[in-house]
Amino acid sequence: MRTADLDGGRVDYQDTGSPDDPAVIVLDGMGSRLVGQLAAAHASASGVRIIAPDRPGYWDSSPREGSPLESWPQACRELLDHLGIEHAAVLGSSAACPMTFAAASALGARITAVAIVGPMAPFDETTDLSDMIASQRRAFRLAARRPALGAFSMRMTGAVARRSPNLALRLVASQRPRVDAQRIAQPELRHLMLQSIPGLIGPATPDDLAVLVGDWTHVLDGVVQPVRIWVGTDDSVHPRSMAVGLKERLASAEIVEVEGGFFACTDRLDEILTWATATD
């Protein structure tokens, strides 16, 4: 990990690959580093530079005031300036989807393409949640109706994660489709996830959660870049309805359905990174 002291505060980030290669910013859900680490393993083979930041308010990155839909794009702009990167693609996953699209909307031509792995769409009244796992569907609806209770629940989850990462990982696996739970049990992936778990909850979590369960359709209105969404046919945490919900709200987006769960999509990171940088 490296540290950038930016105008708005500290941002820690992973920087993998050649500075001469096209850059991809990787944003994972909440404070996770998993997708960034998986993408970094593909950097050399794919000929890309992976920039995977800890967003403000997670790990040791400084919190920022205001909505994450505004504070993250500004931090992203400052980080790109700090690194001397004029243009980059962005790869977003899960709970980071709102901030991924916010960066694309706010930074305009500096963001060349948007790739999504594990989609999340705005939770307004038109969003179909029927194919989402029931426990997550109930949790999101509760958080939307009672934000304070949702934030409290997330803080308690964070406390468990810090004190007992193995227990937290078992809870995560229990709420995933079987095909993904089996992958989580594999030693290499389990090791990476255990490394991420202590940072999943941070000062930014309540604001991130409020954004995620709200209607952030207005952010999508400003996205003009090509968008491609990879979704697993068996992924009930980031189900196909979320991919369709995004596609219906975007001017130009494609859905790629992958047989299997979430990790069947991350298995195709070479393909995803190649597509993301093709227009750079």
Side-chain angles (χ1 to χ4, degrees), residues 217-241:
T217 303
H218 65 284
V219 168
L220 301 176
D221 293 339
V223 176
V224 297
Q225 297 87 346
V227 177
R228 187 169 289 183
I229 304 161
W230 280 260
V231 60
T233 56
D234 298 328
D235 190 350
S236 55
V237 176
H238 321 92
R240 186 178 185 278
S241 64

Side-chain angles (χ1 to χ4, degrees), residues 21-46:
D21 287 335
V24 178
I25 302 165
V26 180
L27 301 182
D28 209 336
M30 299 298 178
S32 175
R33 292 173 171 172
L34 178 63
V35 176
Q37 291 174 318
L38 293 174
H42 291 261
S44 295
S46 301

Side-chain angles (χ1 to χ4, degrees), residues 92-229:
S93 179
S94 192
C97 283
M99 276 59 76
T100 302
F101 287 110
S105 177
L107 273 63
R110 290 194 75 172
I111 302 299
T112 56
V114 180
I116 298 294
V117 178
M120 285 289 176
F123 285 83
D124 66 7
E125 66 279 359
T126 67
T127 302
D128 176 20
L129 303 179
S130 61
D131 58 349
M132 178 178 283
I133 190 169
S135 59
Q136 180 165 294
R137 183 169 64 243
R138 289 193 297 269
F140 280 142
R141 285 176 172 164
L142 176 62
R145 291 194 303 266
R146 303 186 65 181
L149 185 58
F152 175 78
S153 176
M154 293 296 287
R155 286 195 296 272
M156 293 302 99
T157 300
V160 171
R162 288 188 292 273
R163 293 176 183 176
S164 181
N166 284 286
L167 173 59
L169 187 56
R170 287 198 297 272
L171 292 173
V172 169
S174 71
Q175 297 176 18
R176 294 288 182 118
R178 184 176 181 179
V179 64
D180 282 336
Q182 290 173 337
R183 290 291 298 274
I184 291 171
Q186 295 178 0
E188 184 175 356
L189 184 58
R190 177 180 176 80
H191 174 70
L192 290 177
M193 294 188 73
L194 284 172
Q195 287 183 322
S196 276
I197 277 177
L200 290 180
I201 310 298
T205 300
D207 288 340
D208 272 13
L209 182 62
V211 167
L212 181 64
V213 300
D215 181 7
W216 37 278
T217 303
H218 65 284
V219 168
L220 301 176
D221 293 339
V223 176
V224 297
Q225 297 87 346
V227 177
R228 187 169 289 183
I229 304 161

